[in-house]
Amino acid sequence: MKYKAIIFERLSKGKFINSNLKSDRPLFDFVEEHFESLFQDFEELNFVLQRGDGFYYFSRTESKATLERKLKTAFKWIDYMDFFKTYNSSFSAGIRFSITGISGEMKVNTALKEKLRALHKGSKLESELEMLTKMVDALEAEGFIVLEDAYESTYRVLSSWSYLEELILKIDITEDLHTS
C-alpha cells in the first residue's frame, strides 16, 4: 500500500482526491481498489473516508465551534457556486473557464457583477478583477478547480465540485405554512 501515506496526508489536510485530475488518478484508482481496507485503517485514526461522484475526502466528528466555522465556510462556498452558476448555468465538473471570460461576461451581465460585489462587500479589494482572482485562487487552493493553462489563464472544474453541489442538494428547508 505504497499510496496510503500520501492519501492520508492529502485528505487529512481537507483536500480531495479527484478522478479527473491527471496527477490524482493513481491515488484515486488506489482508493477505488482498496476502499474497504483504507476505510477501516483511517477510521482507527478517527477519520471517515467518504466517497463522492468522482472524488474522495475525509470527514470527522466535530466540536460545536468547529461546526460553526465549517458552516460559515459552507455558506461562502454556496455563494461562490451561485456566482459561477449565474455565469454559466451548466458550470460543473469538467467545465473550462477563464478569468477574462468571466470578466467579459460581467460587462453585459449586471446580476453577475452585483453578485461579485456582494461577495466582497467590506473587503479592501477594489477592482472586479482582484475580487474574481481571489475567488478563483480560493477554489483552486481548496481543490475544486485546477489551472490548466497558465499562459491563457484557463481553469478546469474538478470532480470535487460535485461535493458543493451535493451539499446544496442536501439542504432541506421546510417552510412553516402555519402563521400565528
Side-chain angles (χ1 to χ4, degrees), residues 30-140:
F30 184 83
V31 176
E32 281 280 295
E33 187 175 332
H34 300 95
F35 182 81
E36 295 303 322
S37 64
L38 289 170
F39 182 90
Q40 291 172 358
D41 291 344
F42 296 142
E43 189 175 43
E44 291 176 13
L45 302 171
N46 292 323
F47 286 91
V48 179
L49 182 60
Q50 300 282 350
R51 182 183 316 202
D53 185 17
F55 63 97
Y56 288 99
Y57 65 100
F58 275 158
S59 66
R60 294 175 71 166
T61 305
E62 306 289 347
S63 69
K64 185 177 179 184
T66 303
L67 262 170
E68 288 174 4
R69 180 185 52 78
K70 284 188 172 188
L71 281 172
K72 188 175 181 181
T73 301
F75 288 138
K76 176 182 80 171
W77 293 127
I78 290 169
D79 288 341
Y80 281 15
M81 177 177 267
D82 178 50
F83 174 84
F84 284 98
K85 288 284 189 179
T86 300
Y87 164 67
N88 177 347
S89 62
S90 63
F91 196 92
S92 62
I95 294 287
R96 288 171 172 75
F97 70 95
S98 69
I99 291 175
T100 55
I102 295 173
S103 183
E105 178 67 20
M106 286 192 315
K107 291 178 182 170
V108 295
N109 186 336
T110 56
L112 192 61
K113 183 183 265 193
E114 288 171 12
K115 284 180 186 286
L116 181 68
R117 290 265 174 215
L119 283 168
H120 295 283
K121 190 175 185 174
S123 80
K124 294 180 182 179
L125 301 176
E126 293 183 19
S127 79
E128 292 167 354
L129 188 59
E130 285 177 312
M131 293 177 204
L132 193 50
T133 300
K134 182 178 179 182
M135 280 180 30
V136 168
D137 288 347
L139 289 168
E140 185 178 25

Side-chain angles (χ1 to χ4, degrees), residues 13-24:
K13 291 179 180 176
K15 304 292 183 191
F16 296 89
I17 294 177
N18 289 282
S19 65
N20 67 342
L21 183 58
K22 188 176 181 178
S23 61
D24 278 5

